Amino acid sequence: MAKYSNKLDMTFSALADPTRRAIISRLCDGPASVGELSQPFDIALPTLLKHVRVLEKCGLVSSEKAGRVRTCRIETSVLQESDEWLRQHISLWENRLDRMEHHIKNMKKDQ
Amino acid sequence: MAKYSNKLDMTFSALADPTRRAIISRLCDGPASVGELSQPFDIALPTLLKHVRVLEKCGLVSSEKAGRVRTCRIETSVLQESDEWLRQHISLWENRLDRMEHHIKNMKKDQ
DNA sequence: TAGATACTTTACCACATGGCTAAGTATTCT
DNA sequence: AGAATACTTAGCCATGTGGTAAAGTATCTA
């Protein structure tokens, strides 16, 4: 089966889950412990931890353990990489539309 | 299990697959038939069709059948919606960093 | 009209994913 | 030391996903 061929796969897949997007939203407001992250959700701690691990694996989140508390923070560089893919494709398409428009104008001119 | 709660779920999940991203890249270059789309890939036609259906369900791609040929085209509005989520979160985080910097400057001033 | 073409549908399979409980480990508090 | 806290690991389960082959359905083309 198609495993994750690259970072973009992992990142978009990570972003596809609403719980994980909520974790990211929360972390945009500042670092938080695993326990703090779990509070808004009606899911067991191991499940939340799995989500955090997924976010860590693709680099969207980093964490560090001090004593018995693990503190998580967001890493926006990976968000930016995904953003870049999207923007690039949006502009590819828009450039094509521009070229088409240009082409149509030329056709009219030639009549 | 967590079904797709909203469009963003579906869209990011659709973008998580490399074949589907390749289809989108191809369609940025102009509309294509199902057969044309399948050519670069080493997958069976039904598999490719499934991918197209996934892209259609979340609105990234639209298609139309004329005779026996189905022509697919990209719809950038949905790409833009996902892009908006990413940009929003990047800026949320950046604003927070700005506030922190500001806060630190004030602390130094007060010394 | 017979054959080729271009999808479509159906039915199946293996593996990934998100969820859980229960038990384990390391720190910190009393 | 003993109890409480804050994760962590392990193991299990149901469903979803990407893949297949084979058979079906329209449309062209000769």
Side-chain angles (χ1 to χ4, degrees):
Chain A
M1 174 114 55
K3 299 294 297 279
Y4 292 126
S5 60
N6 64 38
K7 206 166 189 174
L8 224 41
D9 287 33
M10 277 197 294
T11 309
F12 280 131
S13 169
L15 292 172
D17 186 278
T19 304
R20 287 193 294 258
R21 283 201 311 280
I23 291 174
I24 288 175
S25 293
R26 166 64 190 79
L27 291 178
C28 277
D29 212 48
S33 70
V34 171
E36 280 165 354
L37 285 179
S38 79
Q39 274 178 36
F41 303 109
D42 192 23
I43 56 175
L45 210 61
T47 308
L48 184 112
L49 195 61
K50 260 192 197 177
H51 284 305
V52 171
R53 296 295 191 207
V54 169
L55 291 168
E56 278 192 285
K57 197 177 276 180
C58 66
L60 281 163
V61 161
S62 67
S63 76
E64 214 178 326
K65 194 156 184 178
R68 57 188 167 165
V69 176
R70 176 174 298 278
T71 304
C72 310
R73 64 187 66 247
I74 201 170
E75 296 291 330
T76 47
S77 60
V78 179
L79 276 183
Q80 269 156 356
E81 282 168 37
S82 322
D83 184 51
E84 222 157 276
W85 190 91
L86 287 173
R87 286 213 231 175
Q88 196 185 323
H89 281 79
I90 292 167
S91 76
L92 273 176
W93 179 245
E94 280 167 359
N95 286 344
R96 186 177 178 277
L97 290 183
D98 288 350
R99 285 200 308 279
M100 264 179 58
E101 202 180 330
H102 189 253
H103 184 62
I104 290 166
K105 269 187 193 152
N106 280 358
M107 273 172 43
K108 281 184 183 161
K109 219 193 304 177
D110 292 351
Q111 282 179 349
Chain B
M1 172 111 61
K3 297 295 297 280
Y4 292 126
S5 60
N6 65 41
K7 204 165 189 173
L8 224 42
D9 288 32
M10 278 197 295
T11 309
F12 281 130
S13 170
L15 292 172
D17 186 277
T19 305
R20 285 192 296 257
R21 284 203 309 281
I23 291 173
I24 289 175
S25 293
R26 167 63 190 80
L27 290 179
C28 277
D29 212 49
S33 70
V34 171
E36 279 167 356
L37 285 179
S38 81
Q39 274 180 36
F41 304 108
D42 192 22
I43 57 176
L45 210 61
T47 309
L48 184 113
L49 195 60
K50 261 193 195 177
H51 284 305
V52 171
R53 296 298 192 205
V54 169
L55 291 168
E56 278 192 285
K57 199 179 274 181
C58 65
L60 280 164
V61 161
S62 66
S63 76
E64 212 178 330
K65 195 156 183 179
R68 55 189 169 167
V69 177
R70 175 175 298 279
T71 303
C72 309
R73 61 189 67 246
I74 202 170
E75 296 290 328
T76 46
S77 59
V78 178
L79 276 183
Q80 271 158 354
E81 282 167 35
S82 324
D83 184 51
E84 223 158 273
W85 190 91
L86 288 172
R87 287 214 231 174
Q88 195 185 325
H89 281 80
I90 292 166
S91 75
L92 273 175
W93 178 246
E94 280 168 359
N95 287 343
R96 186 177 176 274
L97 291 183
D98 287 349
R99 286 199 309 278
M100 267 177 57
E101 203 180 326
H102 189 253
H103 183 62
I104 289 164
K105 269 187 191 153
N106 280 357
M107 273 171 44
K108 282 185 181 158
K109 219 193 302 173
D110 293 352
Q111 282 179 353

